[in-house]
Amino acid sequence: MSDVAHEMQTSRAIDRSQMQVSDEVAIQITDMNKWFGQFHVLRDIDLTVYRGERIVICGPSGSGKSTLIRCINHLEEHQAGRIVVDGIELSNDLKNIDKIRSEVGMCFQHFNLFPHLTILENCTLAPIWVRKVPKREAEETAMHYLTKVKIPDQANKYPGQLSGGQQQRVAIARSLCMRPRIMLFDEPTSALDPEMIKEVLDTMIELAEEGMTMLCVTHEMGFARQVANRVIFMDQGQIVEQNEPEEFFGNPQSERTKLFLSQILGH
Amino acid sequence: MSDTHAQTARFVRESMLPEREPPLAEVGAVKWVRENLFSGWLNILLTVVSAVVIGWILLHIVPWFWNSVWKAGSLSQCREIRDEAFGPGASSACFAVITDRWHQLVFGFYPQTLYWRPVTALIVFLIAASPVLFPRLPRQALWFSAISPFIMFWLLWGGSVWAPLSVLLGIVLAYVAFRIASRFVSPVLAMLAGVAVAVLCWGLLAGPLTTDMSRILPIRLRAVGSDDFGGFMLSFIIGVSAIILSLPLGILLALGRQSDLFFINKVSVAFIELIRGVPLIVWLFTASLLLNYFLPPGTNFDLMLRVIIMVTLFSAAYIAEVVRGGLAALPKGQYEGADSLGLDYWQSMRLIILPQALKISIPGIVNTFIGLFKDTTLVVFIGLLDPIGLSNAIRASTDWNGVYFELFVFIGLMFFICCFSMSRYSIALEKKLQREHR
């Protein structure tokens, strides 16, 4: 992990004027537990996310960080505890789940764009079918966000014709078209070439600058340092340590965190 | 570092090499023949033997076709014409049986004066099928495709126009009920409501409506019973109806088999395994014989309709498995991508999952359709006069006793044309989708 290099990539003046954390609770997770069969993936997770927070979740693979954010929009079901998103409690009621999903945007490691639809159709599909926005209006919104992620000229191509970085930016634009109040990122840059990581991170930084509430599972420590207001370290399905980035990187408390940081920053 | 050769270590290309033609012996037909036919002693020997065998077969078949007689009233007349033209005992096909019994082979025992009706029905079918098969045609034409089955039914079987119309009415009412109900309850319940409305409409309303309307506005064609249907018309009706009906049913079964809902899942699995595990011929006998025992006495459920239903169910089970393969081949990320955007189950299936899964399944689906279409010849065993059944009937007449190959060659050719065009269409569709989606 050439962390220094990434840090340099993302080092530009970040406009922090809009990055404000409010007192309003966006996500409240209490005593949440999850098992995959007999395997206890998430143990007693307690986490409160306030509106405007930018949280980076890191940890070794298998620590449950992806599973945690996938529970927030119910791509994974939790077996015990409560998750409340935007005041709506996640239950097994399908209507509730769809409602939450339409308010919470998500970007995946492998983009998960729809290969049989054009970029524009990828972006307008959910607004048209879920939000019942007229087609014309949905297309205008889509073009607005595609311009924002700097690929308006690719609108009529198919995902397979784009590079990985471009695809991930389309995926971000696709989520934004639903005008979500919270964005989840599940290792958005892990499947990308080093050259493309920067363009995706830049898009994410811009999003943060606009005050979006974000939860990112990522190994980009440069991004964590610059953008996050809170870094969470997970291991064995538990939150081991969380702190402001400066404290987290400069003065980690737990032995496990120290070991992890020395592993990923050490070379 | 130091022991690398100076020449390999230091190299700068001054000019780029231009593209050149490959050597002549390495391209085109010459290369192919040399590599594939004469590349060794064994291959040379095999080539020569194959050439001899092919030549010998052609020597027998070509004159048989070439000397064929197309105009005669009976087999003996055929022979006379042959003896005159090519000498006694010459190899000669007697395709006159096909020209002589053409109408019968195509229409069965459909009344002669009414041949225009199946022909019109075929034209209606072709018009209705084209917007479905070729997406470049205007989408409004799909409305015609939607009502065309009722037009075709009326043309083929005749009777009062109000009978198919009341069936259509039932479907329209069911749809309206579904739309209204889906606003208040879950889609599954809404669908059940739609089905209930349709059944009620057909059970209570359709009968009186047909009788009353027929009295008020008697628009009717002469009724033709299923017993009179036969030949390629019969194969075509059974095949096409089963193909059209089995695709949606198969897709639903595939989704059912994937479902998390215990009941739906188990019913789908049981249905698919039961239907697939028993030979089609058994199902056809069930349709023709057993079903009568179970139906209340006095109900006359048309045999052809029963056969269509059985063939549909049979191929739906196969389609379901083919589509399930397509569904399984999709990366999990596609389901998650659709879910994460808040699309509900039916939306994500219709817009995201099925378009991709069906595209993957096209070869398998068309394969099943081709198999189904050929299997329609099995209805001969339950007494329907498909082309094979007719060929037996034709041979039973004194005029054409002894004609075998000509009929089978003709029937085979007709089936081949249908199946081959299905296959070509599927390949063209695959290529087109490949180009579009990349």
Side-chain angles (χ1 to χ4, degrees):
Chain A
M1 176 69 57
S2 52
D3 179 68
V4 185
H6 292 161
E7 213 165 328
M8 276 162 59
Q9 280 173 4
T10 57
S11 67
R12 64 172 174 91
I14 291 179
D15 171 18
R16 296 182 180 275
S17 60
Q18 305 276 318
M19 291 190 186
Q20 278 157 3
V21 178
S22 76
D23 291 340
E24 190 190 342
V25 174
I27 302 169
Q28 173 106 47
I29 301 176
T30 20
D31 261 341
M32 195 255 281
N33 278 277
K34 172 166 180 62
W35 289 263
F36 282 131
Q38 287 294 310
F39 179 54
H40 201 171
V41 216
L42 292 175
R43 307 176 194 177
D44 292 343
I45 302 288
D46 278 296
L47 178 66
T48 306
V49 180
Y50 295 95
R51 195 159 301 292
E53 278 205 281
R54 289 120 8 236
I55 297 179
V56 163
I57 304 172
C58 59
S61 57
S63 58
K65 49 197 191 314
S66 283
T67 311
L68 171 60
I69 67 164
R70 287 159 59 86
C71 279
I72 292 172
N73 66 353
H74 208 267
L75 285 182
E76 303 286 356
E77 200 176 339
H78 59 284
Q79 276 87 37
R82 276 163 54 97
I83 301 177
V84 179
V85 181
D86 256 344
I88 308 170
E89 174 158 8
L90 266 180
S91 57
N92 279 325
D93 183 2
L94 288 177
K95 284 241 160 69
N96 253 351
I97 294 171
D98 286 339
K99 179 94 178 59
I100 287 173
R101 283 173 177 168
S102 65
E103 304 288 342
V104 178
M106 178 145 190
C107 289
F108 300 86
Q109 182 177 358
H110 297 289
F111 332 130
N112 297 353
L113 293 177
F114 307 130
H116 63 301
L117 301 176
T118 63
I119 300 306
L120 190 64
E121 286 165 342
N122 262 283
C123 292
T124 56
L125 184 97
I128 289 175
W129 289 93
V130 179
R131 292 251 193 272
K132 316 285 179 204
V133 173
K135 189 165 180 250
R136 174 78 58 80
E137 199 183 315
E139 281 176 358
E140 277 168 17
T141 316
M143 285 315 291
H144 168 76
Y145 284 112
L146 285 175
T147 314
K148 213 167 115 90
V149 300
K150 304 192 183 64
I151 27 180
D153 44 331
Q154 316 277 12
N156 291 314
K157 289 192 182 166
Y158 285 91
Q161 295 165 285
L162 269 55
S163 73
Q166 289 174 322
Q167 288 194 43
Q168 191 60 289
R169 283 184 284 151
V170 171
I172 295 174
R174 178 176 75 175
S175 298
L176 293 179
C177 284
M178 289 294 280
R179 302 191 189 276
R181 307 187 66 191
I182 300 164
M183 282 289 292
L184 308 174
F185 292 88
D186 188 0
E187 306 202 22
T189 55
S190 297
L192 296 176
D193 291 344
E195 284 183 79
M196 294 169 181
I197 291 177
K198 181 184 181 311
E199 56 189 52
V200 172
L201 287 183
D202 280 344
T203 310
M204 289 166 65
I205 291 171
E206 267 173 48
L207 210 55
E209 284 174 337
E210 284 164 22
M212 176 67 80
T213 310
M214 295 164 72
L215 268 86
C216 302
V217 172
T218 182
H219 299 296
E220 300 298 329
M221 290 304 132
F223 175 80
R225 243 187 254 262
Q226 289 183 293
V227 180
N229 69 315
R230 180 145 55 124
V231 181
I232 294 177
F233 174 66
M234 284 184 74
D235 190 30
Q236 293 175 19
Q238 300 148 64
I239 295 178
V240 174
E241 186 164 350
Q242 53 173 316
N243 213 332
E244 287 169 7
E246 226 158 279
E247 279 288 294
F248 180 87
F249 291 109
N251 185 19
Q253 298 298 310
S254 133
E255 284 306 314
R256 186 67 192 85
T257 316
K258 284 179 195 164
L259 180 68
F260 176 76
L261 287 177
S262 72
Q263 300 271 352
I264 64 164
L265 301 178
H267 59 102
Chain B
M1 240 352 207
S2 57
D3 53 11
T4 34
H5 198 279
Q7 218 95 78
T8 49
R10 289 208 203 120
F11 174 75
V12 180
R13 183 174 289 288
E14 309 258 287
S15 60
M16 303 307 278
L17 298 174
E19 216 172 290
R20 283 187 303 247
E21 295 275 316
L24 209 60
E26 293 299 316
V27 285
V30 181
K31 175 188 152 136
W32 188 88
V33 167
R34 232 179 32 159
E35 277 189 357
N36 294 290
L37 299 182
F38 301 106
S39 63
W41 280 112
L42 182 65
N43 277 357
I44 291 175
L45 186 72
L46 287 176
T47 306
V48 171
V49 170
S50 314
V52 169
V53 170
I54 293 170
W56 185 80
I57 292 171
L58 286 179
L59 214 60
H60 283 77
I61 289 182
V62 170
W64 187 71
F65 271 107
W66 192 252
N67 299 343
S68 53
V69 176
W70 286 90
K71 233 178 150 66
S74 69
L75 189 60
S76 46
Q77 210 180 338
C78 230
R79 295 273 147 81
E80 280 166 27
I81 295 171
R82 177 197 66 184
D83 291 349
E84 252 173 55
F86 313 108
S91 170
S92 152
C94 182
F95 285 115
V97 63
I98 287 151
T99 41
D100 191 51
R101 296 299 183 97
W102 171 258
H103 283 156
Q104 213 176 23
L105 279 168
V106 174
F107 298 108
F109 297 100
Y110 208 85
Q112 256 187 357
T113 47
L114 302 179
Y115 281 166
W116 64 272
R117 275 163 44 180
V119 172
T120 320
L122 178 67
I123 293 169
V124 168
F125 168 71
L126 292 177
I127 295 173
S130 41
V132 179
L133 297 180
F134 305 103
R136 243 178 301 167
L137 295 172
R139 297 292 79 194
Q140 288 85 343
L142 284 173
W143 281 105
F144 179 73
S145 310
I147 58 162
S148 64
F150 302 95
I151 302 175
M152 287 188 274
F153 175 85
W154 188 51
L155 281 170
L156 289 169
W157 274 274
S160 169
V161 72
W162 298 105
L165 277 183
S166 58
V167 174
L168 180 62
L169 179 73
I171 292 174
V172 170
L173 285 182
Y175 180 71
V176 171
F178 168 73
R179 286 308 294 263
I180 293 174
S182 60
R183 250 179 251 165
F184 304 106
V185 291
S186 74
V188 178
L189 281 179
M191 215 179 314
L192 285 179
V195 171
V197 167
V199 169
L200 277 180
C201 176
W202 291 330
L204 303 175
L205 203 63
L209 185 82
T210 308
T211 344
D212 289 344
M213 286 310 287
S214 305
R215 210 172 298 135
I216 299 164
L217 202 63
I219 306 173
R220 53 181 298 118
L221 289 170
R222 198 178 121 197
V224 180
S226 294
D227 305 345
D228 294 335
F229 284 49
F232 283 106
M233 190 177 97
L234 180 91
S235 295
F236 211 70
I237 294 172
I238 296 176
V240 168
S241 327
I243 283 175
I244 292 171
L245 294 172
S246 66
L247 185 59
L249 187 61
I251 292 172
L252 286 180
L253 282 171
L255 293 179
R257 193 166 188 166
Q258 268 214 331
S259 168
D260 294 332
L261 303 172
F262 182 81
F263 181 70
I264 290 178
N265 180 300
K266 291 295 170 252
V267 167
S268 310
V269 171
F271 179 89
I272 291 169
E273 296 303 343
L274 178 69
I275 294 272
R276 267 201 322 173
V278 176
L280 177 58
I281 192 74
V282 174
W283 290 120
L284 289 177
F285 277 122
T286 312
S288 78
L289 303 169
L290 281 176
L291 231 51
N292 273 358
Y293 291 108
F294 295 120
L295 290 170
T299 44
N300 185 19
F301 203 49
D302 194 278
L303 177 60
M304 214 170 134
L305 197 57
R306 277 182 273 163
V307 167
I308 289 176
I309 291 173
M310 273 305 175
V311 177
T312 301
L313 297 183
F314 191 77
S315 77
Y318 280 86
I319 297 280
E321 284 305 90
V322 172
V323 173
R324 188 169 70 101
L327 291 171
L330 277 195
K332 203 164 154 251
Q334 291 294 308
Y335 293 87
E336 290 178 352
D339 283 347
S340 75
L341 287 170
L343 295 170
D344 65 31
Y345 177 78
W346 290 108
Q347 284 172 340
S348 65
M349 286 300 137
R350 190 156 56 91
L351 301 166
I352 309 299
I353 305 303
L354 284 178
Q356 297 182 63
L358 290 179
K359 183 190 145 198
I360 303 173
S361 324
I362 288 172
I365 291 175
V366 175
N367 190 24
T368 311
F369 283 165
I370 288 175
L372 178 162
F373 190 60
K374 291 184 299 181
D375 282 350
T376 56
T377 50
L378 285 176
V379 297
V380 66
F381 292 113
I382 54 168
L384 290 182
L385 287 173
D386 83 314
I388 304 280
L390 274 172
S391 78
N392 292 336
I394 290 170
R395 218 173 300 117
S397 73
T398 44
D399 282 349
W400 295 108
N401 196 349
V403 168
Y404 280 95
F405 291 120
E406 290 83 348
L407 283 168
F408 286 132
V409 164
F410 173 67
I411 293 166
L413 182 71
M414 293 296 268
F415 272 101
F416 179 79
I417 289 172
C418 291
C419 297
F420 188 66
S421 26
M422 276 194 256
S423 153
R424 287 285 109 182
Y425 173 75
S426 99
I427 290 173
L429 186 65
E430 270 173 64
K431 280 207 180 127
K432 180 176 160 305
L433 293 177
Q434 204 117 51
R435 250 201 321 279
E436 277 183 0
H437 301 167
R438 224 158 316 191

